[in-house]
Structures are given as C-alpha cells and as structure tokens.
C-alpha cells in the first residue's frame, strides 16, 4: 500500500531492522539534530536510526511510496505504523514523553496546514545550516543501522 503524505501507513520495515525506526537526512543539520535529540531523549520506543541516503534508507523510502532522491521527509516507524512529514515529528515527540510530548500538539493541525509548514521547512532545510554535519553523538552512533 503506497504511503500518502502526512498519513499513517501499515507498511513495515524489513524484520531485521526492528519495529521502531527513524529514517533521516544525515546531510541536513535540522534532521541530524532531530535524530540526535531522539537518540538522547527516547526512553520508551527504543528507536534505531537509518540515514535516508544509505541503501537501507533508499529501500525504506521506496517501500513507503516516497522518492528516495527527493528526501522530502523523515520517516518515523513506531509500533509497525509509519509517519511522514509533521505526523512523523508528532509521533516522535509523543513517544519521547515528558514535556516533549506537548510538542505533538502539531498533530492536531489540519493536514493541509501541517504538511504545508513541513514542506516549507524541508525545501529550505539546507539554508538553515551546513550540509555536512559533525559525527553523530555516541547515543546516536550506538543505534545507527546504516
């Protein structure tokens, strides 16, 4: 079943990758900081991480009906359900728990608004910082698959 923008899909990653996964653009400073943040604050979901530019990341993009050359969204796979765009951020923040769960309020915005906002940030993400990010934190490196 192809994935629709900002919607939930039942597509699952290859079984060897586990259930809870974040696929992110490792060349984007915003995406990399998001992955570092989740590696540090994720106490419940046990997320593992995949660079969207890796072979595994490209495969996951294709499995979710996304173009692996555009890297237009992170993919958050939580308990066998996949989330993209602002829904991926909301799912990750909710799973982080504590005060971070309050940020999942963006999931209550109409999808047309939240996806528009996400797309504006995604299209301009390289303008916010350098394209080459420093080495991943120890927490992220320990959970990085590919």
């Amino acid at each position: 079943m192809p994935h629709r923008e900002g919607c939930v899909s039942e597509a699952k990653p290859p079984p060897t990758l586990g259930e809870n996964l974040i696929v992110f653009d490792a060349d984007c400073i915003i995406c990399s900081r998001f992955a570092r943040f989740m590696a540090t604050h994720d106490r419940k979901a046990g997320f593992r991480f995949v660079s969207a530019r890796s072979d595994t990341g490209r495969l996951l993009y294709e499995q979710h009906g996304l173009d692996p050359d555009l890297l237009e969204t992170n993919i958050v796979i939580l308990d066998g359900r996949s989330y993209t765009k602002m829904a991926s951020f909301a799912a990750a923040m909710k799973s982080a728990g504590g005060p971070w769960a309050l940020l999942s309020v963006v999931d209550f915005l109409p999808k047309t608004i939240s996806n528009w906002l996400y797309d504006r940030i995604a299209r301009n993400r390289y303008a916010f910082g350098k394209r080459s990010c420093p080495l991943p934190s120890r927490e992220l490196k320990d959970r990085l698959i590919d």
Side-chain angles (χ1 to χ4, degrees):
M1 166 192 239
H3 183 80
R4 294 183 327 198
E5 291 183 6
C7 296
V8 177
S9 167
E10 296 300 325
K12 290 191 176 194
T16 57
L17 297 179
E19 290 291 314
N20 298 335
L21 191 67
I22 295 177
V23 183
F24 69 103
D25 180 358
D27 287 350
C28 165
I29 196 143
I30 296 170
C31 305
S32 292
R33 286 192 177 162
F34 168 69
R36 282 177 174 229
F37 174 88
M38 289 307 298
T40 303
H41 293 88
D42 168 37
R43 303 280 184 249
K44 194 167 50 169
F47 282 110
R48 294 173 66 196
F49 301 87
V50 173
S51 167
R53 296 177 188 277
S54 69
D55 290 341
T56 304
R58 291 180 65 81
L59 175 67
L60 287 164
Y61 256 71
E62 289 170 356
Q63 285 179 348
H64 288 84
L66 299 166
D67 185 339
D69 294 320
L70 293 180
L71 302 178
E72 61 189 298
T73 181
N74 289 324
I75 302 171
V76 171
I77 302 170
L78 180 62
D79 297 329
R81 299 181 84 188
S82 65
Y83 303 85
T84 60
K85 299 199 181 216
M86 199 62 85
S88 69
F89 175 78
M93 292 299 102
K94 188 174 182 179
S95 76
W100 307 114
L102 294 174
L103 294 173
S104 68
V105 71
V106 298
D107 204 30
F108 294 105
L109 293 172
K111 294 295 177 213
T112 54
I113 294 171
S114 65
N115 285 344
W116 180 87
L117 179 61
Y118 190 95
D119 288 341
R120 296 295 101 29
I121 294 168
R123 285 188 189 123
N124 296 293
R125 68 189 183 272
Y126 297 126
F128 293 117
K130 59 186 177 180
R131 289 184 74 147
S132 178
C133 295
L135 292 174
S137 64
R138 192 183 107 250
E139 295 89 359
L140 179 56
K141 194 173 186 176
D142 289 346
R143 293 158 62 177
L144 192 62
I145 295 172
D146 192 9

